[in-house]
Amino acid sequence: MKLIEKIKSAIPTHGDAPKPPRATFATRSDIIYAPVTGLLVSIEEINDEVISAKLMGDGYGILPVGDCVYAPADGRVVMTTVTNHAIGILTGTGAQVILHVGLGTVEMNGKGFTRFVEQGDEVKAGDPLIAFDSAAIKEAGYEDVVTCVVANLEQVGGIDHIASSNTLIGNRPLVKIGDSLLLTRRRI
């Protein structure tokens, strides 16, 4: 075993959670899909000044029902965090998608999070990326909202919010993994 492989295997990135099966759904290259099942909230409603001001990008928040974040599009993992609470994916159409679990969860130092991918990995829409423990997040005093934003709006030509649902809970749409969220526009 090479030295780099030994070092990588000594770093706990995958935790103890078993890797969930892949979610399967029909995809298009210009659509970003829901990475988790839950109640949809607008980005402006998220209780974080940076996210709600769209400084990270534009998209949606989802109040999760499940405990795993799945790849919202085909692409390459371009960013991971040592605390396993966020991932960045560069899609085939050039959209930089940031998935972030919770608010303030960086302070948990990885406790309650399990990452299943590494920077540089190629992923398909529906591949499991991060498992998280909502109870541990709430017990630590944080919110477990999952944000899904496109960070490079100018480069992709912008996005259209296309999420919809026939199921409403408390006047909020319920989305499931693989439901369409965002349409990336082609730059002309």
Side-chain angles (χ1 to χ4, degrees):
M1 185 183 285
K2 294 181 181 179
L3 178 60
I4 292 175
E5 291 170 355
K6 285 182 181 179
I7 293 170
K8 280 186 174 181
S9 67
I11 298 171
T13 58
H14 301 294
D16 297 328
K19 187 173 183 177
R22 184 175 188 282
T24 56
F25 47 90
T27 62
R28 281 181 26 184
S29 62
D30 59 345
I31 294 185
I32 308 301
Y33 297 92
V36 66
T37 297
L39 299 177
L40 199 64
V41 296
S42 72
I43 202 80
E44 295 87 1
E45 293 178 276
I46 295 176
N47 193 21
D48 180 280
E49 290 178 9
V50 172
I51 295 171
S52 64
K54 301 181 184 179
L55 297 177
M56 286 178 50
D58 195 5
Y60 286 107
I62 301 173
L63 303 173
V65 174
D67 60 359
C68 185
V69 175
Y70 293 84
D74 295 348
R76 182 172 38 88
V77 177
V78 292
M79 185 271 302
T80 61
T81 60
V82 294
T83 54
N84 299 330
H85 74 287
I87 285 189
I89 296 174
L90 179 64
T91 70
T93 60
Q96 293 176 357
V97 180
I98 298 174
L99 303 165
H100 190 278
V101 181
L103 301 178
T105 50
V106 67
E107 301 298 327
M108 294 176 68
N109 294 316
K111 182 181 177 194
F113 296 91
T114 303
R115 182 168 33 94
F116 303 114
V117 294
E118 300 294 334
Q119 187 169 336
D121 287 355
E122 294 291 327
V123 294
K124 294 285 187 187
D127 286 347
L129 302 175
I130 301 172
F132 60 96
D133 184 343
S134 286
I137 292 170
K138 290 175 184 174
E139 185 176 302
Y142 304 111
E143 295 180 39
D144 64 350
V145 63
V146 174
T147 56
C148 177
V149 298
V150 175
N152 60 338
L153 296 170
E154 292 83 27
Q155 289 85 358
V156 298
I159 58 170
D160 292 320
H161 293 79
I162 60 171
S164 65
S165 174
N166 291 328
T167 305
L168 297 177
I169 299 177
N171 292 327
R172 294 204 182 277
L174 176 66
V175 293
K176 64 183 184 317
I177 297 163
D179 284 352
S180 299
L181 287 185
L182 304 165
L183 172 68
T184 57
R185 294 187 211 131
R186 301 265 184 222
R187 190 159 182 89
I188 301 174

